[in-house]
Amino acid sequence: MKYVAIRKASVLLLCGVVVMAGVLGTIPNSTLAASAQGQTSKQAVSQVSAASSVVYQNVTQYAKKTAPGSIVWTGKGLTVTAHTVLKEDKADFEQNVIESIVIQKGTVRHELDTADYDDSWLDLASVAESPAAGWVAIQASRSAGASLLLVNLDTGESVVLNDRLQQEVKGTLETITAYQWSPTGEQIAFSYGDPSKSTLAIYDAAKDSVLRLPRTTNYISTSLILWHKNGKVFDFISEHPSDRFILFRYDAKSEKVKPVRKLTRKQMGDWLKLDKYPSL
């Protein structure tokens, strides 16, 4: 997992707690004393990175390889392969169409036919396995927007979250951008909408239920979701107004969303290094 690089000036030492762009992680007093005695910026950054790893779950980073006829993601024993065909009657950027997806882990193998989807899938943008529940999320790019496919490794059961969500949501559901599995269960937090409006929700794969989060403002986009290790809280970065970014926090116990702090574009870019990769 990659950690954020932060300027020394952005590290605040307050009452035995390190505050890293709104993320709180307790640091031993000995660490604070060493910092007060004049640590290097690199040492301070290393300790802040350690604090973030205490707060957030570790995120597996998968490797992507493309070749004529295939797109392959691999990591932690999981292999997801998309088989593509060339459709010369399509526009140039839509010619390579995914016809099937194969998910393999150990002796488990599932194959899904995607050739007949109404809106052709053109690329596999990301892959993430649930750390606790045996599900895999596959984010697929379309000509406009992205779909999120969830596959149960045990049963082969699958659901396209866009289609599932469309049953309950009024208005446009063009894309699912940021997403992250809970570290403790079968829940996945995600953002959906169109290029001008983003909404946060949690899908429970075990219950097939959707919980839409309360909105504190009209988010334009959401670029990152990070669960805390306890599985009861997650943070997300959303844009509002244009080119202004805010770190928000959702608490499942209170069912409330609260702003944590504003971020510059540079800080947001650093924050994305905590994720598996920048979102679409």
Side-chain angles (χ1 to χ4, degrees), residues 123-163:
D123 190 16
L124 295 190
S126 64
V127 169
E129 184 178 359
S130 167
W135 285 80
V136 174
I138 301 171
Q139 189 182 36
S141 302
R142 308 188 315 271
S143 58
S147 294
L148 192 63
L149 170 70
L150 307 182
V151 182
N152 187 308
L153 285 174
D154 294 329
T155 65
E157 172 191 0
S158 65
V159 57
V160 178
L161 198 49
N162 304 57
D163 298 341

Side-chain angles (χ1 to χ4, degrees), residues 32-196:
L32 294 176
S35 179
Q37 293 172 5
Q39 289 183 312
T40 66
S41 177
K42 183 176 181 180
Q43 289 171 325
V45 167
S46 176
Q47 289 172 353
V48 172
S49 296
S52 71
S53 69
V54 171
V55 175
Y56 294 127
Q57 67 167 323
N58 293 331
V59 179
T60 300
Q61 294 189 329
Y62 297 83
K64 180 181 182 181
K65 292 184 179 180
T66 58
S70 68
I71 304 163
V72 183
W73 282 92
T74 57
K76 294 191 69 173
L78 175 72
T79 301
V80 177
T81 304
H83 297 288
T84 63
V85 294
L86 184 65
K87 304 268 186 167
E88 294 185 350
D89 59 326
K90 301 283 187 179
D92 289 347
F93 70 96
E94 294 180 323
Q95 287 188 346
N96 289 301
V97 175
I98 296 173
E99 287 212 321
S100 65
I101 297 175
V102 176
I103 300 102
Q104 292 179 284
K105 186 165 186 179
T107 59
V108 174
R109 185 182 187 278
H110 301 295
E111 183 169 358
L112 303 175
D113 184 2
T114 59
D116 296 329
Y117 285 7
D118 293 337
D119 196 355
S120 297
W121 289 9
L122 308 176
D123 190 16
L124 295 190
S126 64
V127 169
E129 184 178 359
S130 167
W135 285 80
V136 174
I138 301 171
Q139 189 182 36
S141 302
R142 308 188 315 271
S143 58
S147 294
L148 192 63
L149 170 70
L150 307 182
V151 182
N152 187 308
L153 285 174
D154 294 329
T155 65
E157 172 191 0
S158 65
V159 57
V160 178
L161 198 49
N162 304 57
D163 298 341
R164 172 64 184 84
L165 201 58
Q166 194 71 67
Q167 300 171 18
E168 302 184 21
V169 176
K170 296 179 180 180
T172 303
L173 205 171
E174 181 177 311
T175 190
I176 291 178
T177 51
Y179 68 94
Q180 198 69 260
W181 287 106
S182 163
T184 60
E186 294 178 285
Q187 295 182 325
I188 187 167
F190 62 97
S191 62
Y192 67 90
D194 59 38
S196 63

Side-chain angles (χ1 to χ4, degrees), residues 28 48 51 163 228 232 260 270:
V48 172
D163 298 341
H228 291 213
K232 299 176 182 178
V260 177
D270 287 338

